[in-house]
């Protein structure tokens, strides 16, 4: 089992920044690829970003490419999502999730079903 706890959400004005954190406990953190997903109000959960177990490989949804940065610190068992130039359409509940390491190399990382463990989510609200 891997337990994931997100933090760092909140209310921010358009153009602002937030950094989300996801602290992991349980099984060896560095065995897992990590992803961030979000669920806007009334919509389906969608892929945001993913990072390989080593941190050397990252992938982003087109909608956040160039504005968001995913990173991880395996010594701290934590994955981060730095969000810059936030837009009202970024408003959502943000979830971190853990997937088998090979998901980054098999191309399955954008799919929620790939991930075995999920956090409880943190709300991000961007005002216009």
């Amino acid at each position: 089992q891997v337990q994931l706890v997100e933090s760092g959400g909140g209310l921010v004005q358009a153009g602002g920044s937030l950094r989300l954190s996801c602290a992991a406990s349980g099984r060896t953190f560095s065995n897992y690829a990590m992803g961030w997903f979000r669920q806007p109000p009334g919509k389906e959960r969608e892929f945001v970003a993913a990072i390989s177990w080593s941190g050397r490989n990252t992938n982003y949804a087109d909608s956040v490419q160039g504005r968001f940065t995913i990173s991880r610190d395996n010594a701290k068992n934590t994955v981060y999502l730095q969000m810059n130039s936030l837009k009202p359409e970024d408003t959502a509940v943000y979830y971190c999730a853990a997937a088998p390491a090979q998901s980054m190399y098999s191309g399955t990382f954008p799919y929620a079903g790939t991930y075995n463990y999920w956090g409880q989510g943190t709300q991000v609200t961007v005002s216009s």
Side-chain angles (χ1 to χ4, degrees):
Q1 288 284 343
V2 176
Q3 291 78 42
L4 302 172
V5 179
E6 302 97 336
S7 61
L11 174 64
V12 64
Q13 287 189 331
S17 298
L18 281 175
R19 187 175 83 154
L20 305 183
S21 299
C22 173
S25 60
R27 292 189 174 181
T28 306
F29 179 66
S30 58
N31 286 348
Y32 294 90
M34 298 297 295
W36 285 96
F37 286 74
R38 66 187 182 186
Q39 187 163 14
K43 296 185 179 181
E44 297 288 317
R45 191 171 299 191
E46 62 186 27
F47 170 75
V48 175
I51 188 166
S52 63
W53 68 271
S54 66
R56 285 195 289 267
N57 300 96
T58 58
N59 281 279
Y60 298 91
D62 289 344
S63 58
V64 306
Q65 180 78 48
R67 299 188 298 122
F68 291 11
T69 302
I70 188 171
S71 62
R72 67 189 295 163
D73 185 337
N74 286 344
K76 295 182 177 179
N77 289 352
T78 302
V79 62
Y80 304 97
L81 185 69
Q82 177 67 43
M83 305 185 295
N84 298 330
S85 302
L86 282 161
K87 305 175 181 180
E89 51 264 43
D90 294 318
T91 294
V93 178
Y94 283 72
Y95 299 89
C96 71
Q102 64 267 25
S103 64
M104 285 295 292
Y105 313 110
S106 64
T108 58
F109 58 85
Y111 306 107
T114 298
Y115 295 78
N116 304 109
Y117 304 102
W118 292 82
Q120 82 290 349
T122 186
Q123 177 70 47
V124 171
T125 302
V126 184
S127 63
S128 57

